[in-house]
Amino acid sequence: MSSSSLLHSISPHPNPTTTSSLSHLPKAFSKALSTTHTTLPQRDPLFSLPNWRNPKYDYKTKEHKLNDAHLYLEYMLNKGHRPNAPQCTQLLYDLCKSNKLRKAMRVMEKMAASGNPPDTSTYTYLVNQLCKRGNVGYAMQLVDKMDDYGCHPTTVTYNSLVRGLCMHGNLQQSLQLMDRLMRRGLVPNVFTYSFLLEAAYKEWGEAEALLEEMGGRNYVPTVITYNILIGSHAFYGRTEEAVEVLEEMFRNWVRPNAASYNPIIARFCKEGRLDMVMKCLEHMMHKRVSPNDGTYNAIAVLCVEGKVDEAFSVLQSIGNKQNMATQEYYKNVISFLCKKGNTLAAFQLLHEMTKRGYTPDSYTNSSLIRGLCMEGMLDEAMEVFVVMEENENMPDVDNYDSLILGLCKAQRTDLAFDVFEVMVGKGYTPNETTYTILVEGIAHEEEGELAGMLLRELRSRNAVSRSTMERLAMQYDLE
């Protein structure tokens, strides 16, 4: 469906706005500039980099413009001109995102040499990017140079190094780095220890030893630390050890949360130990820990193991204990499963629910549609509408919006417009959400000019509010 079809389908407002709500901005902006210009020093002006971030550029053009901006920066700095620090920082970020780390490093060095070194957060970002790509050695050298440039590494900076070393199996070197962090007067935080514990997953026996060593460093384990141990034990099938860690939490007066129980429940489900699943859930609720989406997805493991009836019985038991309204409870369960990519299990359980009198509402249907789209099953998502109509469960605008959004996120805006055409043809009236999704879908397809044209037309007909138009224009740099 073409954009013109969409435009023609919009009902004109009886009192259309004839003047642009933004018409006053250019004059006001010019006035502000003329006022501040006289207060700026006229000598040694900052130079600006050529624009490399125009949303109209295709990928190759963006890469070419990015390289041009980098070359221009080096040329102007070599001439002794002062750079625009925020622009240079943005260039550094964009070079990193394009995997041009050497050039990003050069930008950092040039900025420092020109007397405008990046701030600590920018250094930390670059350190993190280097570590993510396995260049931990370079990252450590960069941290060593930070003091020379007047920046001081923070715990977050060191956490990037610790994580980078842990990802590559250098647990001992990570511990040495943590000692160095503490000698500088910085305090390791929960993330520092979490990265170390995650590295210890691979060598069983070390996780507990590492926890003891941390105790010797006056580190008090938190719920996150214990959850990491529980998760690692459960993942590798050491369920009894996971339960022991859970009990240790109570002995040490650390209150567990749902994430403490979920890995244990998932493992018991995988092992088919339904009695232990129920026992764990009873213990959880006795301790006033409410199940969350992770709990329901843990129970969905039973569906994967071919035990759908058992999964439904467990869910029914939770609902009864929580005294929740049946309709609301099942609606939430389906939604939680779909959000976590367990749409097949959601359909399996929905089948059991409907046999017992549950009627899916609009919200449930939208959850299923979004889940199917998220998992790439676009044809199946569209088939839901056929099934709904066959069962005299007529879809509504929210259902269509969910499908259109899912198709746009899958970069199938062409199909989204087809669905829109069907929707209008069946007499449904699109709402502002519908139009917003389509404009954003076009913008994500790198069609900024078309998205801007459509947005202007929608606003002229009052199909979208002024605030929505301004938000979209700003977010996607639309004219």
Side-chain angles (χ1 to χ4, degrees), residues 296-315:
Y296 299 120
N297 279 278
I299 295 167
V301 172
L302 286 168
C303 297
V304 177
E305 299 298 316
K307 302 179 185 296
V308 180
D309 287 342
E310 290 85 343
F312 177 79
S313 296
V314 172
L315 290 172

Side-chain angles (χ1 to χ4, degrees), residues 161-359:
L161 293 176
V162 169
R163 186 181 189 185
L165 289 168
C166 288
M167 286 172 62
H168 294 87
N170 297 320
L171 181 58
Q172 292 305 317
Q173 194 174 357
S174 298
L175 289 170
Q176 294 169 7
L177 187 63
M178 188 174 71
D179 286 334
R180 179 178 165 188
L181 179 154
M182 297 175 74
R183 286 197 301 271
R184 292 190 61 125
L186 299 172
V187 180
N189 59 23
V190 65
F191 295 105
T192 317
Y193 292 115
S194 296
F195 298 147
L196 292 169
L197 284 168
E198 286 176 357
Y201 279 0
K202 299 175 183 178
E203 301 177 44
W204 281 107
E206 284 195 22
E208 281 74 10
L210 184 59
L211 191 58
E212 289 180 12
E213 184 174 342
M214 291 174 184
R217 298 168 191 255
N218 296 320
Y219 170 68
V220 179
T222 66
V223 64
I224 295 178
T225 308
Y226 281 114
N227 286 355
I228 290 170
L229 287 173
I230 290 171
S232 59
H233 280 304
F235 180 80
Y236 286 100
R238 300 173 66 114
T239 321
E240 282 69 25
E241 286 88 337
V243 173
E244 288 175 9
V245 174
L246 182 63
E247 292 171 352
E248 183 181 334
M249 292 177 72
F250 288 102
R251 289 196 296 270
N252 291 334
W253 298 95
V254 178
R255 179 176 172 78
N257 55 25
S260 310
Y261 287 90
N262 293 342
I264 299 174
I265 294 170
R267 191 68 202 187
F268 281 140
C269 287
K270 186 171 181 62
E271 295 171 359
R273 298 167 66 180
L274 199 62
D275 56 334
M276 294 304 297
V277 172
M278 295 302 300
K279 185 176 180 180
C280 192
L281 285 167
E282 287 172 4
H283 185 272
M284 177 180 181
M285 287 185 278
H286 176 70
K287 296 295 182 180
R288 297 188 178 180
V289 178
S290 298
N292 64 2
D293 56 347
T295 311
Y296 299 120
N297 279 278
I299 295 167
V301 172
L302 286 168
C303 297
V304 177
E305 299 298 316
K307 302 179 185 296
V308 180
D309 287 342
E310 290 85 343
F312 177 79
S313 296
V314 172
L315 290 172
Q316 193 175 40
S317 174
I318 295 175
N320 292 337
K321 284 183 171 61
Q322 292 186 317
N323 295 320
M324 294 179 65
T326 303
Q327 193 80 5
E328 189 70 17
Y329 173 65
Y330 287 148
K331 177 177 76 174
N332 291 336
V333 170
I334 296 297
S335 176
F336 290 146
L337 293 176
C338 291
K339 285 178 181 177
K340 292 292 185 180
N342 274 328
T343 312
L344 175 59
F347 271 102
Q348 291 173 322
L349 288 168
L350 180 62
H351 179 67
E352 295 299 317
M353 294 170 184
T354 53
K355 287 195 299 186
R356 292 162 173 80
Y358 171 69
T359 302

Side-chain angles (χ1 to χ4, degrees), residues 25-224:
L25 286 183
K27 292 180 181 179
F29 188 59
S30 298
K31 183 178 179 181
L33 285 179
S34 64
T35 303
T36 57
H37 177 72
T38 57
T39 65
L40 294 175
Q42 298 301 311
R43 58 186 180 83
D44 193 17
L46 304 179
F47 68 86
S48 295
L49 298 175
N51 182 19
W52 70 92
R53 309 193 82 219
N54 193 320
K56 296 179 182 179
Y57 295 150
D58 57 29
Y59 175 77
K60 288 185 178 180
T61 304
K62 283 182 180 178
E63 291 292 294
H64 179 69
K65 294 291 184 181
L66 184 62
N67 288 329
D68 282 351
H70 177 251
L71 290 172
Y72 184 74
L73 174 66
E74 292 206 335
Y75 171 78
M76 293 297 284
L77 289 176
N78 289 336
K79 291 286 186 180
H81 297 288
R82 292 193 303 131
N84 181 313
Q87 271 195 331
C88 290
T89 301
Q90 187 62 60
L91 178 64
L92 186 151
Y93 285 148
D94 288 348
L95 287 168
C96 286
K97 291 174 184 175
S98 294
N99 203 24
K100 303 179 189 298
L101 291 181
R102 288 184 181 275
K103 290 182 178 180
M105 291 283 288
R106 284 186 61 81
V107 171
M108 181 274 299
E109 292 167 356
K110 290 286 186 181
M111 289 178 69
S114 70
N116 293 279
D119 58 19
T120 300
S121 63
T122 305
Y123 274 110
T124 300
Y125 177 83
L126 187 51
V127 167
N128 190 40
Q129 294 298 311
L130 288 166
C131 290
K132 280 184 177 180
R133 290 164 174 79
N135 299 319
V136 185
Y138 285 113
M140 294 181 75
Q141 292 175 22
L142 181 58
V143 171
D144 290 337
K145 291 181 180 178
M146 286 178 69
D147 286 322
D148 298 336
Y149 296 135
C151 293
H152 303 293
T154 64
T155 299
V156 176
T157 312
Y158 275 100
N159 281 352
S160 294
L161 293 176
V162 169
R163 186 181 189 185
L165 289 168
C166 288
M167 286 172 62
H168 294 87
N170 297 320
L171 181 58
Q172 292 305 317
Q173 194 174 357
S174 298
L175 289 170
Q176 294 169 7
L177 187 63
M178 188 174 71
D179 286 334
R180 179 178 165 188
L181 179 154
M182 297 175 74
R183 286 197 301 271
R184 292 190 61 125
L186 299 172
V187 180
N189 59 23
V190 65
F191 295 105
T192 317
Y193 292 115
S194 296
F195 298 147
L196 292 169
L197 284 168
E198 286 176 357
Y201 279 0
K202 299 175 183 178
E203 301 177 44
W204 281 107
E206 284 195 22
E208 281 74 10
L210 184 59
L211 191 58
E212 289 180 12
E213 184 174 342
M214 291 174 184
R217 298 168 191 255
N218 296 320
Y219 170 68
V220 179
T222 66
V223 64
I224 295 178

Side-chain angles (χ1 to χ4, degrees), residues 4-17 454-464:
S4 60
S5 301
L6 171 59
L7 294 174
H8 290 314
S9 69
I10 306 167
S11 300
H13 193 272
N15 295 305
T17 304
L454 178 59
L455 184 58
R456 288 193 302 273
E457 183 68 19
L458 289 167
R459 176 57 193 149
S460 72
R461 302 182 183 207
N462 273 3
V464 297

Side-chain angles (χ1 to χ4, degrees), residues 328-400:
E328 189 70 17
Y329 173 65
Y330 287 148
K331 177 177 76 174
N332 291 336
V333 170
I334 296 297
S335 176
F336 290 146
L337 293 176
C338 291
K339 285 178 181 177
K340 292 292 185 180
N342 274 328
T343 312
L344 175 59
F347 271 102
Q348 291 173 322
L349 288 168
L350 180 62
H351 179 67
E352 295 299 317
M353 294 170 184
T354 53
K355 287 195 299 186
R356 292 162 173 80
Y358 171 69
T359 302
D361 59 7
S362 172
Y363 183 87
T364 303
N365 291 329
S366 289
S367 297
L368 293 166
I369 292 163
R370 284 193 296 267
L372 289 169
C373 289
M374 187 174 68
E375 296 187 45
M377 294 185 281
L378 306 182
D379 291 338
E380 289 80 356
M382 290 187 279
E383 186 69 21
V384 169
F385 287 80
V386 177
V387 175
M388 288 173 66
E389 290 175 350
E390 287 177 350
N391 288 277
E392 298 183 351
N393 181 10
M394 300 305 294
D396 58 19
V397 175
D398 289 339
N399 299 148
Y400 277 105

